[in-house]
Every structure is written in C-alpha cells, then in structure tokens.
Amino acid sequence: NDKITASDGTIDLLSGVNYIGIITAPAISATGNLTAASINVDNNIQLGTAGIVTATTFVGNVTGNINNSTLLLQTGGTERLRIDSNGTLRVQGGDGNAYLQLERYQNNDKGGRVRFVKSRSDTVGLNTIVQDGDTLGVIDFYGSDSNLGTRGAASISAEVDGTPGSADMPGRLIFKTVPDNSTVFTERLRITSDGKMGVGTTNPSTILHLSDGSNDCDLTVQATASGKDARINLYANS
C-alpha cells in the first residue's frame, strides 16, 4: 500500500520512476519512463519524446504534445493502437480482433457513423470551401503480397460532383478494383450526384449506363434455381 503522493502539487522533473506501488498526483511531468502498479492522475501526464508509461492500471488523462515520436497503446503487453509522427492511426491485432467497432446506445433510429471531413484550408478547424472533383474520403483495401509489402486491391471514394456552395455539397461515389497482374486502381462503378449509375463509364447519361470500351457490352440476367425465369421487366406510368 505504499504510495508516492503529491496532494497539493505536481511531481515533476522526473528522469524515471520504477515503482511497484501507486503513484498519485494532480499532474506528473516526466522526461523518462514511469512504471507502477497503478497511476492515478487528476490532471495529466506529460512525457518527453522518449517517455513511456507502464502501469497495470491507469486512471486519468495523457495530454500534451509528443513531437517526432509515436504514441503507442498496449493491452496485455501486445500493441493494439499506434499514432505515428505523420498522424497515421493504426489498429493492430494478431488474434482476429483487429477491427473498429462503433456502438450507439439510444432509443431512436440512429446508428454508429464514420465521418470523413475535407477542407481546403491548411489550418485545422478552419472551413475553406472545397472544389468540384475534390476527394472527400477514401476507403482502401490492402493485402500483403509477401514480397514487397502491402498492395491495394480495391477502393471506395467520395468526391465533390459539381460546384459546391452554402448548404450545397453535391457528391459522387466511385468504386475501384485492381486487375490481375496489376497495381493500378481502375474505376468500375460510379454513382453521380443526380442518381445516375455508370459501369465502365465516368460520365453516365442515363439512370443505368453500361459501357465496356471497345469490347462488346453484355448484360447477363441468370436465374440459377430450376424452373425459375430470368427476366427484365420494363414499366412506364400512364
């Protein structure tokens, strides 16, 4: 039950603490590593660029700037989350549990949401209007090629599809895949801001526009169950 306690001040200027008990303080400033069975902080922990916090239990906030370094979070001694110096967030797991789960508990019809935001400003938080053709967000799917690292296989992106303005943000969705023996993302399907769908074309002129370049453009409708018809029904309101 031994403790290192500063109830009315700050434990600061530490080159390192390796302690099997409990460290309790309103704030801790350290240039080295902090190791303890439990760390309880009312305010924050500030670390130098090489600082590491190791604790069986941690209660409080880690705040401040970590320059030219990596923020690493582990559970059970295994890395789970990393933010590198470029701002890239990585969630890692080798037990089949590397996924992002968003939960919402509320008695309404709303669910979890992932939001991508794009501004043309170089200042964080400043809203400068985007332009026609700007990419608003991308989801890429990569796999290891066992030789040169990871390679892209498919991609889904959202782009501005027209001139935006106040309360006006037209958008389109683009689906891409990488052909066999290639590393190039190739557009396969596009849904425009006015609801037109293009397969093999970047400029669909009808609700469904199919194109296959210089090759024959075939549309196959197949009923796989025995005794069932394959049909396309066309209706026009009178």
Side-chain angles (χ1 to χ4, degrees):
N1 296 325
D2 292 339
K3 300 180 180 181
I4 297 178
T5 304
S7 59
D8 57 356
T10 299
I11 299 176
D12 57 5
L13 302 177
L14 297 177
S15 60
V17 172
N18 191 338
Y19 193 64
I20 61 173
I22 300 174
I23 299 176
T24 303
I28 297 176
S29 176
T31 58
N33 302 334
L34 299 176
T35 302
S38 179
I39 300 178
N40 305 288
V41 183
D42 294 330
N43 188 9
N44 60 69
I45 291 179
Q46 296 182 354
L47 297 175
T49 57
I52 297 175
V53 174
T54 302
T56 303
T57 302
F58 173 76
V59 180
N61 299 315
V62 178
T63 62
N65 297 320
I66 299 180
N67 299 318
N68 301 319
S69 188
T70 297
L71 176 61
L72 175 64
L73 299 181
Q74 298 181 343
T75 59
T78 300
E79 178 179 336
R80 300 302 185 185
L81 186 144
R82 172 188 295 254
I83 304 176
D84 64 22
S85 58
N86 294 320
T88 301
L89 172 66
R90 300 180 181 179
V91 179
Q92 304 185 40
D95 54 0
N97 292 320
Y99 58 83
L100 177 64
Q101 180 171 311
L102 303 179
E103 300 181 358
R104 182 168 182 168
Y105 299 92
Q106 199 171 23
N107 187 19
N108 57 27
D109 60 349
K110 303 301 188 293
R113 175 179 294 184
V114 177
R115 176 177 293 182
F116 297 87
V117 178
K118 161 69 177 176
S119 171
R120 278 240 169 196
S121 173
D122 292 328
T123 302
V124 176
L126 184 60
N127 291 317
T128 300
I129 191 168
V130 293
Q131 300 177 12
D132 184 18
D134 282 1
T135 299
L136 301 179
V138 181
I139 301 176
D140 290 333
F141 302 87
Y142 274 64
S144 175
D145 64 3
S146 75
N147 183 28
L148 299 176
T150 58
R151 297 296 175 187
S155 177
I156 303 173
S157 61
E159 299 178 354
V160 180
D161 192 29
T163 302
S166 178
D168 179 24
M169 190 58 59
R172 59 176 174 252
L173 285 175
I174 297 176
F175 298 79
K176 299 179 180 180
T177 63
V178 175
D180 193 19
N181 296 318
S182 175
T183 59
V184 179
F185 286 102
T186 302
E187 181 175 332
R188 304 302 187 185
L189 185 147
R190 172 180 296 225
I191 303 174
T192 63
S193 59
D194 56 357
K196 294 184 177 67
M197 181 182 298
V199 178
T201 176
T202 60
N203 187 29
S205 57
T206 56
I207 294 298
L208 177 59
H209 186 162
L210 306 179
S211 176
D212 196 15
S214 59
N215 299 318
D216 294 333
C217 186
D218 299 326
L219 175 63
T220 301
V221 180
Q222 181 180 1
T224 58
S226 177
K228 300 298 182 181
D229 295 328
R231 62 182 67 175
I232 298 178
N233 297 315
L234 305 177
Y235 297 93
N237 291 331
S238 58

